[in-house]
Amino acid sequence: MKLNKILFSGAILGLLSVLMAAYVDHSVSLVRTGKSLDRVLIAIRYHQLYAIVITIMGLIFPLQTDRRIKSWLIKSAYFFISGILLFSFSIYISSITGIFALLHLVPIGGLIFMIGWVGLICVACLRMK
């Protein structure tokens, strides 16, 4: 049986989002200022949202018979995975380590999220044909 990489990634990212939320909730050392806490909470929110989206995509893409639709779903999922890594994880790491230069990756992650949504728009347009 072949591993569904997208479903697997969504599940791992979902688990990591819960672990990160628990860490933030129970650890004072992560939160240095109110602004830092706000950033981390936004990162967790996006992390959890996109983990759910990726998981749903992982459940749906094997059911697709159209090769083009399947391809766009896979591409979009990988954009969302990359967006989480650049957006959320750069915020997490900068908050934990104090290396605030990593926050320059946040807008790139946001842009990659948008590209993933454009991929899903392409799927919707292919479905209309």
Side-chain angles (χ1 to χ4, degrees):
M1 181 175 259
K2 188 175 177 182
L3 176 68
N4 181 332
K5 293 176 188 172
I6 294 173
L7 180 58
F8 183 78
S9 297
I12 294 291
L13 288 167
L15 172 64
L16 290 174
S17 75
V18 174
L19 290 171
M20 192 61 190
Y23 178 69
V24 168
D25 193 41
H26 299 291
S27 173
V28 179
S29 64
L30 175 72
V31 182
R32 295 192 174 117
T33 67
K35 190 171 184 174
S36 179
L37 175 61
D38 290 342
R39 278 192 207 118
V40 171
L41 292 176
I42 290 169
I44 290 170
R45 186 177 327 129
Y46 274 76
H47 186 165
Q48 290 177 333
L49 169 69
Y50 281 97
I52 292 168
V53 170
I54 293 163
T55 301
I56 291 169
M57 292 171 76
L59 292 169
I60 290 172
F61 101 86
L63 306 174
Q64 297 301 315
T65 55
D66 186 312
R67 164 176 78 52
R68 294 173 305 155
I69 291 174
K70 204 172 202 174
S71 174
W72 277 109
L73 283 173
I74 292 168
K75 288 175 191 173
S76 293
Y78 283 125
F79 279 120
F80 291 151
I81 292 166
S82 300
I84 289 174
L85 295 175
L86 288 170
F87 185 90
S88 296
F89 281 77
S90 63
I91 293 172
Y92 298 154
I93 294 168
S94 72
S95 295
I96 292 168
T97 65
I99 303 171
F100 296 108
L102 291 172
L103 294 175
H104 294 294
L105 297 174
V106 173
I108 297 168
L111 181 62
I112 290 174
F113 282 144
M114 290 182 230
I115 294 169
W117 286 112
V118 169
L120 287 182
I121 291 168
C122 291
V123 169
C125 291
L126 287 172
R127 295 290 302 181
M128 293 186 329
K129 291 183 178 182

